[in-house]
Amino acid sequence: MERILIKGGRLIDPASGIDAVKDILVEGSKIAKIGSGLNTDDVTLINAEGMLIFPGLIDMHVHLREPGFEYKETIESGTKSAAAGGFTTVACMPNTYPVIDSPAMVEYIYLKAEKEGHVKVKPVAAITKGQQGEELSPIGELVQYGAAAFSDDGHPVSSSNLMRRAMEYASMWDALIISHCEDPELSRDGVMNEGEMSTMLGMRGIPSVAEETMVAREIALSRYTGCRVHIAHISTKASVEMVRRAKAEGIRISAEAAPHHFSLTDAAVDGYSSMTKVNPPLRSGEDVEAVIRGLKDGTVDAIATDHAPHHRDDKEVEYSMAAFGISGLETAVPLAVTHLLRPGVLTPLQLAERMSLAPAKLLKLDAGYIAEGGPADITIIDPEAEITVDTEKFLSKGKNSPFDGMRLWGRVVHTIVEGRMV
Ligand code: DOR
């Protein structure tokens, strides 16, 4: 049995509240022992002095593009990118071709990930067949085949009645509905945030209300059906405020924010780089501050990358023609360390909760914690390392990132999945 001894790191376990220097002995796929002064022969030794030891990070919002768009990403390349980024589990979105809307497709993703994946993969199944917004997918059956959650991500579910029915079904299995909140009548053919900057640049805007009307609808439907509803890539101040109030009311709502929505404003679009084109768009400074406040007080439960790799041909065109999306797996930790940890917005325990324990709970995974007998999914981070983002070095096929060339703090040193260093 393979053994790894991680010595002298600062163990951060939000499940137990432990934040202390400890040694961790991994045996096989489990954590065998946690203590001080652990010493054993015949182990792979990791000197973790000065490092943060987090439970393996979980990204509940990733586009792996397989099947159908392998020129953008594959399960193999996307999970390699995840491992480099410190993620031990990723939940992949169903906007593939064919769409993940059948038991056969869910099984296919599991089999392919088992064969070629570098980290664990949990497929999110579509709410509606073909993500067409017309007919529900077989939600109960998909739960039995291991769908981690349900989402038409990339597309909103425009019909409120269909969303109501989806929530009624999903709640029978206590399944999670992840909502891409966008009213297409309001977003229309917008390409960036609607505001001063879009006016100045002469580009069509996506107003914040395009998100907020749908957040309001999902809260109302969750209140009515009792279904667990998760707001994907939350990006506006009013959305965060609505989720905060809904939680106070006891509604079963949760939310995630993407690193680009807490680290960039729409000012980044000045210069017309299509790398900044993402949906929902980069918002105003006020919105970014609200997202950060939401992450701080837990209104925003999780950080999720919305890793959206695209081919050069999809991005190296005029802004209005370019695809929406940012390749996010390999910059998430440095962005979180730089914008949340170092300025003291989040403590290490809170960051580990947002990036590991909270998504584990939302997806009902046996993960997100570090304890004797528990799974050996561990992420080791050097918070003092300074890095320069170089998208050409990304292991993802998607080099589309607005952070290229940026200097940031925080480096993932090791990612351990079920006791294997990946
Ligand atoms: O920017 C985005 N890209 N937002 C989405 O919701 C979908 C994603 C994609 O699939 O490229």
Side-chain angles (χ1 to χ4, degrees):
M1 194 188 319
E2 241 190 277
R3 303 201 299 172
I4 303 170
L5 183 58
I6 306 163
K7 273 193 85 77
R10 182 171 164 196
L11 169 62
I12 307 293
D13 178 43
S16 60
I18 292 176
D19 172 351
V21 173
K22 296 272 180 206
D23 300 338
I24 302 169
L25 178 65
V26 172
E27 279 182 357
S29 63
K30 301 274 183 221
I31 292 169
K33 211 167 170 50
I34 298 172
S36 299
L38 296 188
N39 274 309
T40 333
D41 297 329
D42 213 14
V43 290
T44 305
L45 190 68
I46 297 175
N47 176 5
E49 263 172 60
M51 311 277 169
L52 297 170
I53 315 292
F54 275 22
L57 306 182
I58 298 167
D59 191 344
M60 62 187 295
H61 192 142
V62 166
H63 296 272
L64 293 179
R65 306 295 191 208
E66 188 176 353
F69 304 100
E70 288 85 352
Y71 66 102
K72 293 177 192 259
E73 193 80 289
T74 60
I75 289 173
E76 198 280 327
S77 64
T79 55
K80 199 189 278 177
S81 171
F87 295 95
T88 54
T89 302
V90 295
C92 62
M93 287 295 162
N95 58 341
T96 50
Y97 187 76
V99 167
I100 306 172
D101 61 1
S102 64
M105 284 302 300
V106 168
E107 208 158 68
Y108 172 80
I109 300 292
Y110 274 121
L111 287 172
K112 205 80 201 296
E114 176 95 45
K115 235 172 43 191
E116 294 169 14
H118 300 274
V119 306
K120 296 183 232 180
V121 176
K122 297 280 164 188
V124 174
I127 295 171
T128 67
K129 283 190 185 160
Q131 293 193 309
Q132 295 294 306
E134 284 163 10
E135 200 184 338
L136 288 184
S137 37
I139 290 177
E141 207 182 350
L142 289 163
V143 169
Q144 273 143 39
Y145 275 77
F150 293 87
S151 183
D152 271 6
D153 185 68
H155 310 274
V157 176
S158 295
S159 159
S160 305
N161 185 47
L162 207 58
M163 189 55 123
R164 171 202 170 166
R165 298 298 176 206
M167 287 190 195
E168 282 172 348
Y169 275 107
S171 62
M172 288 163 70
W173 293 273
D174 198 34
L176 184 70
I177 295 274
I178 301 176
S179 176
H180 170 120
C181 288
E182 176 184 348
D183 179 339
E185 301 230 322
L186 286 167
S187 59
R188 303 194 67 189
D189 32 4
V191 295
M192 66 172 291
N193 182 46
E194 180 178 290
E196 246 172 73
M197 188 54 77
S198 64
T199 307
M200 222 176 71
L201 297 175
M203 294 214 275
R204 204 180 273 270
I206 301 173
S208 49
V209 282
E211 174 174 309
E212 291 150 4
T213 50
M214 289 299 236
V215 171
R217 183 193 80 173
E218 307 313 34
I219 290 170
L221 288 174
S222 171
R223 180 196 288 118
Y224 195 72
T225 61
C227 182
R228 292 196 297 133
V229 177
H230 180 77
I231 308 298
H233 39 53
I234 199 164
S235 74
T236 85
K237 182 177 174 194
S239 295
V240 174
E241 280 167 3
M242 280 187 277
V243 170
R244 186 177 286 120
R245 280 198 302 272
K247 283 187 167 185
E249 205 192 304
I251 295 170
R252 302 175 80 199
I253 199 105
S254 55
E256 69 186 29
H260 46 266
H261 286 132
F262 63 68
S263 55
L264 287 179
T265 67
D266 58 357
V269 184
D270 196 1
Y272 299 95
S273 166
S274 65
M275 297 303 173
T276 62
K277 187 174 175 185
V278 64
N279 190 24
L282 302 176
R283 298 287 191 187
S284 71
E286 256 194 19
D287 293 315
V288 172
E289 278 168 31
V291 167
I292 291 175
R293 269 199 309 279
L295 280 164
K296 190 172 172 63
D297 72 7
T299 298
V300 180
D301 305 69
I303 293 169
T305 64
D306 192 7
H307 176 72
H310 286 293
H311 191 266
R312 270 183 211 295
D313 293 354
D314 303 314
K315 280 292 197 181
E316 287 180 4
V317 289
E318 307 88 292
Y319 205 92
S320 62
M321 302 289 288
F324 286 100
I326 291 173
S327 179
L329 284 166
E330 290 167 72
T331 48
V333 164
L335 288 169
V337 168
T338 305
H339 293 277
L340 303 175
L341 201 61
R342 286 182 72 94
V345 174
L346 297 185
T347 63
L349 276 169
Q350 286 170 322
L351 182 60
E353 168 131 27
R354 307 285 180 269
M355 294 190 83
S356 182
L357 182 62
K361 283 185 178 163
L362 288 166
L363 301 176
K364 296 190 184 167
L365 306 176
D366 178 30
Y369 63 97
I370 294 184
E372 288 180 1
D377 290 350
I378 297 168
T379 302
I380 305 180
I381 296 166
D382 180 355
E384 299 300 329
E386 271 190 80
I387 61 135
T388 303
V389 178
D390 180 354
T391 52
E392 283 313 311
K393 296 214 171 101
F394 278 5
L395 298 182
S396 167
K397 286 192 187 186
K399 315 296 179 195
N400 48 304
S401 165
F403 301 106
D404 191 34
M406 218 174 254
R407 282 186 68 75
L408 299 168
W409 275 280
R411 191 163 65 89
V412 174
V413 182
H414 289 293
T415 307
I416 299 173
V417 180
E418 288 179 341
R420 285 175 296 114
M421 291 216 265
V422 294

